[in-house]
């Protein structure tokens, strides 16, 4: 297992109006990552939080990102993510993942109406700032674009330029839904850390092989015991 270290940007840099706004969804920690229950045991809520912390830490270290908003009803997660520099959006509207993302996107547009906008999975513990920058830089100047996950079934990032609707359709086979909805797929071959979201123990093993952030790495020894 390897670990990579990222440092968040200075606050003045994160507040640049011209940079990207990222919106991340996070369930209450007691409900998150249910498919990891057998592997993670009682560490599952802590693991879900660690994924989000490492994702936000890397995102805030990306030179193209100005702000990260996290839509969550979990007070602990909101507090911990705010300590890193994220902006918690606590008044989640209900109705599931995509309404939460649309709600967060509306907040982001209020904060920075002229900024490009993207929804990003909150379970990318191996996320690298440079790879995220390559993805954001590849988004066309008009319209919407998305990045498929590692199995090329789901989506880890959906982006749009100012004035364009985000129209998120995450969950399950979202790659096909986003493509059918008119978003362009970003065919980038060299951004594995942005594609590797984690839902299962096998996914986590792949993320650990890529090199995870410090919060996930700190839990790895306990996860090995829990999975036995």
């Amino acid at each position: 297992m390897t670990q990579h270290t990222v440092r968040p940007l200075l606050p003045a840099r994160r507040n640049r109006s011209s940079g990207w706004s990222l919106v991340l969804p996070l369930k209450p920690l007691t409900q998150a990552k249910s498919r990891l229950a057998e592997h993670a045991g009682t560490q599952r809520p802590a693991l879900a939080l660690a994924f989000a912390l490492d994702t936000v830490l890397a995102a805030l270290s990306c030179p193209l990102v100005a702000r990260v908003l996290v839509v969550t009803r979990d007070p602990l997660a909101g507090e911990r993510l705010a300590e890193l520099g994220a902006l918690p959006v606590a008044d989640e509207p209900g109705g599931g993942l995509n309404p939460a993302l649309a709600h967060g996107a509306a907040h982001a547009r209020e904060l920075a109406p002229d900024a490009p906008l993207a929804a990003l999975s909150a379970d990318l513990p191996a996320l690298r700032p440079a790879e995220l920058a390559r993805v954001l830089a590849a988004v066309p100047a008009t319209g919407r674009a998305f990045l498929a996950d590692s199995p090329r079934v789901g989506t880890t990032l959906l982006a749009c330029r100012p004035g364009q609707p985000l129209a998120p359709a995450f969950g399950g086979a979202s790659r096909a839904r986003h493509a059918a909805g008119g978003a362009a797929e970003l065919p980038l071959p060299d951004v594995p850390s942005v594609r590797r979201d984690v839902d299962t123990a096998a996914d986590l093993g792949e993320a650990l092989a890529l090199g995870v952030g410090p919060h996930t790495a700190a839990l790895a020894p306990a996860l090995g015991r829990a999975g036995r």
Side-chain angles (χ1 to χ4, degrees):
M1 180 189 73
T2 57
Q3 175 183 349
H4 66 87
T5 302
V6 292
R7 289 183 289 180
L9 301 175
L10 296 175
R13 200 174 192 189
R14 287 200 302 266
N15 291 332
R16 292 177 306 172
S17 61
S18 60
W20 283 82
S21 297
L22 300 187
V23 178
L24 284 67
L26 182 61
K27 289 181 179 180
L29 298 177
T30 56
Q31 302 174 20
K33 297 298 153 195
S34 58
R35 292 167 66 187
L36 283 168
E38 183 176 353
H39 180 70
T42 59
Q43 295 294 321
R44 179 174 56 83
L47 187 62
L49 177 58
F51 291 169
L53 290 169
D54 286 334
T55 302
V56 167
L57 186 61
L60 287 173
S61 297
C62 175
L64 300 187
V65 173
R67 62 199 63 81
V68 174
L69 295 81
V70 182
V71 183
T72 184
R73 293 185 286 115
D74 192 289
L76 172 61
E79 179 180 350
R80 292 288 307 278
L81 291 162
E83 290 172 356
L84 293 182
L87 305 172
V89 179
D91 50 340
E92 183 180 336
L97 174 60
N98 292 303
L101 285 171
H103 183 63
H107 274 261
R109 283 271 161 80
E110 289 178 4
L111 287 172
D114 297 325
L117 174 66
L120 181 70
S121 297
D123 56 352
L124 301 170
L127 183 64
R128 285 172 166 73
E131 292 184 13
L132 177 59
R134 287 201 291 274
V135 174
L136 296 175
V139 175
T142 59
R144 299 158 59 239
F146 69 93
L147 186 76
D149 62 9
S150 293
R152 304 299 199 271
V153 173
T155 306
T156 57
L157 180 140
L158 174 69
C160 63
R161 293 293 181 173
Q164 298 290 325
L166 186 62
F170 283 82
S174 60
R175 178 192 184 191
R177 287 196 301 275
H178 285 134
E185 183 167 1
L186 299 172
L188 301 175
D190 57 347
V191 289
S193 77
V194 196
R195 295 186 186 274
R196 182 64 281 166
D197 55 349
V198 176
D199 289 311
T200 67
D203 297 342
L204 180 55
E206 292 181 12
L208 290 169
L210 287 172
V212 295
H215 301 90
T216 305
L219 283 176
L223 293 178
R225 292 191 295 273
R228 291 172 188 164

